[in-house]
Amino acid sequence: MENSKRTVTCGELRKSDVGKKVVLNGWVARTRDLGGLLFIRLRDRYGITQVMVGDKASDDVKKIAASLKSEYCIAVEGIVAARSDKDVNADMATGEIEVEATDIEIFTTSQELPFSIEEVRQKDGTLVVANEDLRLKYRYLDLRREPMQHNIILRSQVAFATREYLTSKGFLEIETPTFIKSTPEGARDYLVPSRVHPGKFYSLPQSPQLYKQLLMVSGFDKYFQIARCYRDEDARGDRQPEFTQIDMELSFTNREEVLSTTEGMMQHIFKKTLNYDLPAKFDRIAWEDAFDWYGSDKPDLRFDMKMQDAAFMADLADFNAFKAGAANAGRDVQRHKRSGLKALVVKNVADKYSRKNIEALEEVAKTYKAKGLAWMKVAESGQFEGGISKFYAGKEAEICGKLGAEKNDLLLFVSDENWQLACTALGAVRKQLGKDLNLYNPNDEFHFAWIIDFPYFAWNEEENHWETEHHMFTLPQKQYWDTLEQDPGAVKGDLYDLVLNGYELASGSMRINDPALQERIFEIVGYSRERAEKAFGFLVQAFKFGAPPHGGIAPGLDRLVMLMCHEESIHEVIAFPKNNLAASPMDECPSPVDEKQLEDLHLRCTEVEQD
């Protein structure tokens, strides 16, 4: 072949191109030999084109074509031809044409594959996918698969749309350091030893938090960064040791502007990449209401089954298990003034749920420390049956009236003196029912909501002191400034989370810009002046030079793309992720290093596990 450089991609050709001479480059996805005809499905990231090697091809071309195997990387020269009507493949963008090969060049051959790159489905339609460690070991092959190509391409489009929107709103993209001072931010830091400063360490940033606040002091009133962040914590499906967030900060702002800017950005991203219209405003739910109604501060709102207060039932029968929950006992419940007796009405499923099914739900509740899951059904007669029904016989009309229950409904209850525990346990049951019964609204594919009015402080029972729920630079809501020290448990923060389909997508807050207020927060959580100065002195010092009011937010890019792709793990939207042991099977990272490298860094390994 005189010139093997492609002139078109494998997803480009259409019926209007019939008669053109073209050169394609790509990988052999599949071949079919029909005797006198040989067909090749040629693939690149743009799509698939069918190549035909027929009577017009030379013997040399036929011989090369017959030798092709899966994943050979080749060039094909040929003429675009129309397929007959009966041979048109409506499932392919290029399905109306094929390329009649006049020449083929093999760039490189391929070994036998460790797993199939082409989609393989079982008889029931289930997609057959290799186990994750095998996929990660050969990630470069896994990334050739169409689903992975789709996910990575969408990720690139989301990043571009983010930059496009924020730049149009006057934001500046500014990089912050990767080697920083180690400061306490909740998770363990990844530490980097310094060669030129023996015994000292850099830290990889858990977030650019302190630096973006310094940029506000510097006068850059609208900052963003698609930032790499690092946290040394246990991995899970939506968490990685290294991850990416859309980091934003604004000066001379308020909560409303941060929220509306984020809403506008999400609307732009979804419209630009998925042609999906989000609502102009997202739901806003107070933290206490989110727990009271859904048992979570990241509720899945694609279905509308709210939990209800059932405290009235404690007075209708001598059922001791309900007494404690209804009594509002316990410090946590006293603070929130909510009942710890929660009910869930599951509509029209009583005839479908056996005792075994209900016991499975009870195990879900117990996972979240509930003592049990009480239940009863509303029979066709209107009477209660099963579970705790004997305690409430004759009370059907009152209970059903207050809970909105009807015939064939299943009633579920969790009672605990700790309001938040009861809510969390029954909320987990609600979430499980959403999956089991497929309750999701098909017209509500992506449901965003803001969770606001979080508690500022949480009491650490083990260490007997107050901690901040978010971070120590969060601004308390102004009405609590005068009583911070007297009643920390009542303080609400000017902070907010953005949730999507049951996942926390972003967290943000207005920030403290007054050094005196910042010192009060340090004192409440037990940070001495010396400790605060050592950890955060450079930030507090900066605030003494005219710090503007400011606030921000940081949506997780990995998690956002995961949800947009309807995946359940961020591994599926990161090109080269780590596995659940924070390791890479492909390049065997982390790995030992030479003794000389350790000497240069003034380090010595005291114990090494043998592989």
Side-chain angles (χ1 to χ4, degrees):
M1 190 180 297
E2 289 185 8
N3 186 359
S4 58
K5 174 73 173 69
R6 69 184 175 189
T7 59
V8 293
T9 69
C10 293
E12 189 173 340
L13 296 172
R14 299 295 185 269
K15 200 169 185 177
S16 58
D17 296 306
V18 169
K20 289 182 181 178
K21 182 178 179 180
V22 297
V23 177
L24 297 165
N25 294 169
W27 286 267
V28 176
R30 189 188 309 163
T31 63
R32 286 183 300 142
D33 191 342
L34 303 182
L37 293 175
L38 190 142
F39 292 95
I40 305 163
R41 284 171 63 93
L42 194 65
R43 183 194 71 244
D44 63 12
R45 80 169 175 91
Y46 304 94
I48 293 176
T49 296
Q50 179 168 285
V51 176
M52 182 188 73
V53 181
D55 295 337
K56 297 179 183 178
S58 68
D59 290 343
D60 285 345
V61 171
K62 290 178 182 178
K63 185 176 180 181
I64 294 171
S67 72
L68 297 178
K69 292 183 173 60
S70 291
E71 299 311 304
Y72 277 28
C73 188
I74 67 172
V76 173
E77 183 181 78
I79 306 298
V80 182
R83 295 198 201 187
S84 64
D85 289 344
K86 67 181 180 64
D87 291 329
V88 168
N89 186 341
D91 295 330
M92 288 174 57
T94 60
E96 290 185 305
I97 60 92
E98 59 192 10
V99 173
E100 296 181 351
T102 56
D103 204 354
I104 298 176
E105 178 181 342
I106 298 175
F107 290 140
T108 52
T109 62
S110 173
Q111 296 180 3
E112 184 176 347
L113 298 174
F115 53 82
S116 175
I117 290 171
E118 287 284 282
E119 275 197 358
V120 177
R121 292 190 179 273
Q122 297 176 333
K123 290 182 179 179
D124 63 359
T126 305
L127 186 64
V128 178
V129 181
N131 74 69
E132 185 173 71
D133 265 7
L134 188 63
R135 291 174 57 207
L136 293 181
K137 181 175 176 62
Y138 298 96
R139 187 61 163 185
Y140 41 84
L141 295 179
D142 190 45
L143 288 170
R144 292 184 193 172
R145 295 172 50 241
E146 192 280 329
M148 291 302 303
Q149 297 250 316
H150 168 272
N151 293 355
I152 299 302
I153 290 168
L154 181 62
R155 183 189 179 103
S156 175
Q157 293 169 341
V158 168
F160 178 79
T162 299
R163 288 188 165 98
E164 186 178 52
Y165 177 81
L166 292 175
T167 301
S168 75
K169 297 299 181 182
F171 283 78
L172 299 175
E173 185 170 9
I174 306 176
E175 293 181 346
T176 53
T178 302
F179 284 7
I180 67 171
K181 178 183 178 66
S182 180
T183 58
E185 287 200 44
R188 295 184 187 89
D189 286 334
Y190 279 103
L191 300 177
V192 181
S194 170
R195 179 181 59 81
V196 296
H197 300 285
K200 295 184 178 180
F201 295 81
Y202 303 102
S203 172
L204 301 183
Q206 295 187 32
S207 75
Q209 181 65 45
L210 305 185
Y211 290 93
K212 67 179 181 179
Q213 291 190 250
L214 290 171
L215 286 171
M216 298 301 103
V217 178
S218 304
F220 296 104
D221 63 324
K222 290 185 175 182
Y223 142 94
F224 86 98
Q225 179 182 190
I226 298 182
R228 299 288 286 167
C229 305
Y230 308 86
R231 294 181 186 172
D232 186 3
E233 56 190 352
D234 294 337
R236 65 185 186 201
D238 59 346
R239 180 184 287 168
Q240 278 275 286
E242 49 190 331
F243 58 97
T244 306
Q245 63 187 34
I246 304 168
D247 205 53
M248 302 159 53
E249 197 81 4
L250 299 85
S251 289
F252 308 113
T253 190
N254 55 26
R255 182 176 75 180
E256 186 57 43
E257 184 181 15
V258 176
L259 269 54
S260 62
T261 299
T262 307
E263 288 170 345
M265 181 179 71
M266 291 299 169
Q267 289 153 10
H268 179 78
I269 289 171
F270 275 74
K271 186 64 175 177
K272 188 73 180 283
T273 62
L274 298 181
N275 195 29
Y276 186 93
D277 293 310
L278 294 175
K281 289 290 182 183
F282 300 162
D283 295 338
R284 297 188 186 185
I285 307 172
W287 178 88
E288 288 186 16
D289 288 336
F291 266 102
D292 210 42
W293 298 340
Y294 306 109
S296 173
D297 57 4
K298 45 182 182 293
D300 192 334
L301 300 175
R302 290 173 296 170
F303 62 103
D304 189 33
M305 186 165 57
K306 283 186 180 178
M307 303 187 312
Q308 300 181 59
D309 187 334
F312 71 94
M313 292 182 63
D315 296 326
L316 295 182
D318 189 21
F319 185 55
N320 290 332
F322 282 2
K323 300 294 184 184
N328 283 342
R331 184 189 58 79
D332 186 54
V333 176
Q334 287 174 351
R335 189 202 307 178
H336 300 292
K337 308 295 189 229
R338 307 280 179 128
S339 161
L341 175 50
K342 306 300 298 179
L344 199 59
V345 178
V346 192
K347 306 301 292 183
N348 200 33
V349 299
D351 58 344
K352 301 172 186 173
Y353 266 72
S354 65
R355 180 181 290 271
K356 183 178 180 181
N357 297 139
I358 295 170
E359 286 174 352
L361 294 175
E362 183 174 23
E363 288 305 310
V364 172
K366 287 181 176 179
T367 300
Y368 291 86
K369 300 182 180 179
K371 298 178 180 69
L373 181 69
W375 63 277
M376 52 189 178
K377 299 177 179 181
V378 185
E380 285 299 317
S381 63
Q383 295 179 317
F384 291 144
E385 64 180 22
I388 60 172
S389 59
K390 65 180 181 180
F391 295 97
Y392 292 98
K395 308 291 184 180
E396 287 86 353
E398 181 176 356
I399 293 172
C400 288
K402 289 186 176 179
L403 296 181
E406 301 171 308
K407 293 177 182 179
N408 202 37
D409 288 352
L410 173 65
L411 310 185
L412 302 173
F413 306 90
V414 169
S415 177
D416 197 278
E417 64 181 19
N418 184 311
W419 163 79
Q420 191 170 346
L421 187 154
C423 292
T424 301
L426 194 57
V429 172
R430 174 189 179 272
K431 186 175 181 180
Q432 187 64 46
L433 286 164
K435 292 180 181 179
D436 293 348
L437 299 172
N438 193 24
L439 298 176
Y440 311 117
N441 181 352
N443 298 317
D444 194 12
E445 188 177 357
F446 301 103
H447 197 123
F448 284 88
W450 290 106
I451 310 300
I452 58 176
D453 297 337
F454 282 76
Y456 191 96
F457 296 103
W459 182 255
N460 186 321
E461 297 281 0
E462 293 182 2
E463 299 180 16
N464 201 36
H465 69 85
W466 290 104
E467 296 176 334
T468 53
E469 285 273 12
H470 195 48
H471 58 62
M472 289 181 285
F473 311 107
T474 297
L475 187 69
Q477 292 183 10
K478 194 167 186 177
Q479 66 265 35
Y480 301 100
W481 288 6
D482 292 339
T483 58
L484 285 176
E485 291 82 1
Q486 289 91 326
D487 190 8
V491 177
K492 289 184 170 60
D494 202 353
L495 63 105
Y496 32 83
D497 279 2
L498 181 61
V499 301
L500 172 59
N501 295 0
Y503 287 85
E504 178 193 315
L505 188 62
S507 191
S509 70
M510 301 305 296
R511 323 297 190 189
I512 295 171
N513 66 318
D514 177 4
L517 180 57
Q518 186 67 73
E519 288 181 3
R520 290 172 65 192
I521 298 297
F522 287 153
E523 288 176 6
I524 291 171
V525 298
Y527 256 65
S528 65
R529 283 181 179 271
E530 294 75 18
R531 187 181 179 192
E533 177 66 30
K534 183 178 180 182
F536 307 113
F538 63 98
L539 180 66
V540 176
Q541 178 68 18
F543 285 173
K544 296 176 181 178
F545 293 93
H550 59 285
I553 194 168
L557 179 65
D558 310 298
R559 198 171 293 179
L560 173 61
V561 179
M562 177 189 83
L563 292 168
M564 294 175 75
C565 292
H566 300 291
E567 298 285 2
E568 295 184 355
S569 168
I570 60 172
H571 295 179
E572 302 302 317
V573 299
I574 298 173
F576 297 102
K578 305 296 186 288
N579 63 17
N580 287 336
L581 297 175
S584 170
M586 182 183 67
D587 57 4
E588 298 182 337
C589 159
S591 58
V593 297
D594 293 339
E595 190 66 33
K596 179 64 167 62
Q597 291 176 276
L598 294 176
E599 289 177 7
D600 289 344
L601 295 170
H602 315 282
L603 296 175
R604 182 176 63 203
C605 285
T606 57
E607 183 178 340
V608 178
E609 288 189 13
Q610 299 298 319
D611 292 335

